[in-house]
Amino acid sequence: MIRHVVFFSARDRADYARIHDGLSLLAQIPHHRHFELGRNLQGDMISDAPVDIVVYAEFDDEAALAAYKAHPLYEESIRRVRPLRDQRIAADFTAS
């Protein structure tokens, strides 16, 4: 199983709702086994820019993750969110 974790910081905190709405499109993509989207509780700073929103998803394998990233809703989410975000940090790893 592949775990996919992505951290987003808003360029302007006033755009939080628009970023969240854009990322919520990802939940409609059928290739994930599990999907979560939420506000970061700001417990630890990852970088100089605070992380505002976290995406967490699980995939059966790398092929499912690749299909997720190739889906048109993934591209639409990027189109909506990229101009509003400051930073994006992503990690994919195999669960043991």
Side-chain angles (χ1 to χ4, degrees):
M1 176 176 60
I2 306 292
R3 292 189 175 157
H4 176 69
V5 184
V6 189
F7 301 100
F8 293 88
S9 60
R11 194 168 278 147
D12 180 341
R13 291 254 170 113
D15 289 326
Y16 173 87
R18 291 175 59 205
I19 294 170
H20 188 277
D21 289 347
L23 293 172
S24 69
L25 293 174
L26 301 172
Q28 300 173 42
I29 300 174
H31 304 288
H32 55 75
R33 151 193 303 202
H34 179 80
F35 181 88
E36 294 180 41
L37 171 65
R39 181 183 291 259
N40 182 26
L41 299 177
Q42 304 295 337
D44 285 325
M45 294 294 287
I46 294 174
S47 66
D48 292 337
V51 172
D52 297 305
I53 300 174
V54 179
V55 171
Y56 172 80
E58 296 175 353
F59 299 88
D60 288 331
D61 50 33
E62 290 183 37
L65 176 58
Y68 167 83
K69 290 181 176 181
H71 195 280
L73 284 175
Y74 187 86
E75 290 300 319
E76 178 60 18
S77 177
I78 290 171
R79 187 190 69 74
R80 293 183 189 189
V81 172
R82 183 176 279 156
L84 304 174
R85 70 168 171 83
D86 181 34
Q87 190 168 0
R88 177 186 179 273
I89 301 169
D92 299 321
F93 63 97
T94 303
S96 54

